[in-house]
Amino acid sequence: ISISSLILGTTITISSNHWMMAWTGLEINTLAILPLISKPHHPRAIEAATKYFLVQAAASTLLLFSSTTNALFTGQWDITQLTHPTSCLLLTTAISIKLGLVPFHFWFPEVLQGSSLMTSLLLATAMKFPPISLLLMTSSSLNHTLLTTMAIASAALGGWTGLNQTQVRKILAFSSISHLGWMTIIIIYNPKLTLITFYLYCMMTAATLLTLKTTKILKLSTMMTAWTKIPSLSATLMLALLSLAGLPPLTGFLPKWLIIQELTKQEMTPTATIIALLSLLGLFFYLRLAYCATITLPPNSSNYMKQWRTNKPVSTLTATLTAMTITLLPFSP
């Protein structure tokens, strides 16, 4: 029921023209993911579900408030006709709370840390789709300076705060925040690029999290000893992480390349330089993850449990996603 409600809510939001329908879809989404977050009976999971509910409810209320304000002043309920400056500001706030853009990002790592790997995959990818589509539909009327500032702040904070984390899910949460920064910076100039970035980001995150689920890795210390389980999977995990970091010959380089090119076309070279330099921060913690995944041999003197090799076959989905994460760059437009 939860999964079908998720699909329903997402579909309602992305296909609606009227603000009320968009809001309804977002509410259905929020209520459908809550049982999935709180399914493991653990205080952390319950806390994560509570945090998620409060934050998303506040964001939905703000969204409703902004659209009502717009309707009051202009008489328009159409999503693309958001013209009143106050409601534009409120909408930007609501959507960035929904997505977890800086300065409203605090809930996201906590919620991801409290939920299981598959739920965090849903939260990091599928739950971002309705807000991003709303942002896409209204992008023409939003405040450029505000969006650019938030995007650069997201890229910076996603990089800085991810540096000292040891929990893999939190690292992926901060990586998600910095990727969102990349998506937001380009949405005014070329919304299609935002969608490409979002799809590729979803694909790379899915590949990474499914690999982590297969090997049951939750933090860096277990990552160091997990290479004996399925060595080939660890090697592809390293490549998938470097792809998330955006290194060329891998897929993750494609969105970064196109975005920087588009920004320089729009004569925003300083912005492009800043955001490219900020992605180095992200590269550092991806490199650390990749290093822990394959390159380090843990010291054998310590008496850790030797992990047995598993004969469990890797699912086709994981294999396909990982292959696409590593090899899609030559298909770039």
Side-chain angles (χ1 to χ4, degrees), residues 264-306:
T264 36
K265 271 186 203 163
Q266 300 288 347
E267 293 174 359
M268 293 180 66
T269 322
T271 318
T273 316
I274 292 171
I275 202 163
L277 285 174
L278 287 174
S279 71
L280 286 176
L281 290 168
L283 176 65
F284 179 81
F285 59 76
Y286 290 120
L287 270 176
R288 193 171 66 171
L289 274 174
Y291 197 79
C292 288
T294 49
I295 307 171
T296 51
L297 283 177
N300 289 328
S301 56
S302 66
N303 45 5
Y304 69 90
M305 295 275 292
K306 182 85 170 163

Side-chain angles (χ1 to χ4, degrees), residues 1-8 28-29 31-36 122:
I1 291 177
S2 292
I3 298 281
S4 51
S5 307
L6 271 179
I7 298 169
L8 174 75
I28 294 175
N29 256 357
L31 293 175
I33 193 95
L34 286 174
L36 294 176
L122 269 180

Side-chain angles (χ1 to χ4, degrees), residues 199-200 202-211 214 233 236-237 239-240 243 251 313-329 331:
Y199 293 147
L200 289 179
C202 285
M203 188 183 72
M204 297 184 290
T205 311
T208 312
L209 276 164
L210 285 167
T211 309
T214 315
L233 201 60
T236 51
L237 174 64
L239 288 174
S243 178
T251 312
V314 181
S315 72
T316 341
L317 181 66
T318 317
T320 323
L321 283 170
T322 313
M324 286 167 70
T325 300
I326 298 170
T327 55
L328 275 190
L329 188 68
F331 293 95

Side-chain angles (χ1 to χ4, degrees), residues 74-322:
T74 62
Q76 279 286 358
W77 278 102
D78 197 340
I79 293 187
T80 47
Q81 301 289 326
L82 192 81
T83 45
H84 195 261
T86 317
S87 45
C88 285
L89 192 67
L90 281 170
L91 179 88
T92 314
T93 313
I95 298 278
S96 41
I97 296 177
K98 280 242 170 246
L99 289 173
L101 272 173
V102 174
F104 310 106
H105 63 286
F106 297 103
W107 62 274
F108 191 52
E110 302 289 325
V111 171
L112 238 65
Q113 185 54 37
S115 45
S116 67
L117 279 172
M118 288 333 280
T119 315
S120 30
L121 172 60
L122 269 180
L123 282 170
T125 56
M127 299 304 287
K128 298 280 168 87
F129 190 45
I132 278 210
S133 60
L134 284 179
L135 199 59
L136 211 73
M137 286 190 269
T138 53
S139 60
S140 51
S141 52
L142 298 179
N143 185 341
H144 293 195
T145 337
L146 180 66
L147 278 180
T148 311
T149 317
M150 284 169 86
I152 289 182
S154 296
L157 248 121
W160 271 121
T161 39
L163 292 180
N164 57 356
Q165 300 295 335
T166 54
Q167 300 285 343
V168 177
R169 279 168 298 183
K170 274 200 173 169
I171 293 183
L172 283 172
F174 287 118
S175 100
S176 173
I177 292 170
S178 56
H179 275 274
L180 277 169
W182 280 87
M183 288 173 219
T184 329
I185 203 158
I186 202 64
I187 196 158
I188 313 154
Y189 307 106
N190 195 340
K192 283 181 184 163
L193 268 185
T194 302
L195 273 184
I196 290 182
T197 315
F198 179 66
Y199 293 147
L200 289 179
Y201 157 74
C202 285
M203 188 183 72
M204 297 184 290
T205 311
T208 312
L209 276 164
L210 285 167
T211 309
L212 294 176
K213 184 176 180 286
T214 315
T215 47
K216 295 189 175 59
I217 297 173
L218 289 177
K219 50 185 192 290
L220 288 181
S221 52
T222 49
M223 204 175 200
M224 290 224 183
T225 56
W227 62 273
T228 46
K229 280 185 185 175
I230 311 178
S232 55
L233 201 60
S234 301
T236 51
L237 174 64
M238 179 186 90
L239 288 174
L241 284 164
L242 293 180
S243 178
L244 260 175
L247 287 185
L250 306 167
T251 312
F253 178 57
L254 169 64
K256 286 192 165 53
W257 176 29
L258 292 177
I259 285 176
I260 288 178
Q261 185 182 343
E262 184 63 36
L263 282 174
T264 36
K265 271 186 203 163
Q266 300 288 347
E267 293 174 359
M268 293 180 66
T269 322
T271 318
T273 316
I274 292 171
I275 202 163
L277 285 174
L278 287 174
S279 71
L280 286 176
L281 290 168
L283 176 65
F284 179 81
F285 59 76
Y286 290 120
L287 270 176
R288 193 171 66 171
L289 274 174
Y291 197 79
C292 288
T294 49
I295 307 171
T296 51
L297 283 177
N300 289 328
S301 56
S302 66
N303 45 5
Y304 69 90
M305 295 275 292
K306 182 85 170 163
Q307 308 271 0
W308 287 91
R309 284 204 178 196
T310 49
N311 291 328
K312 195 175 65 174
V314 181
S315 72
T316 341
L317 181 66
T318 317
T320 323
L321 283 170
T322 313

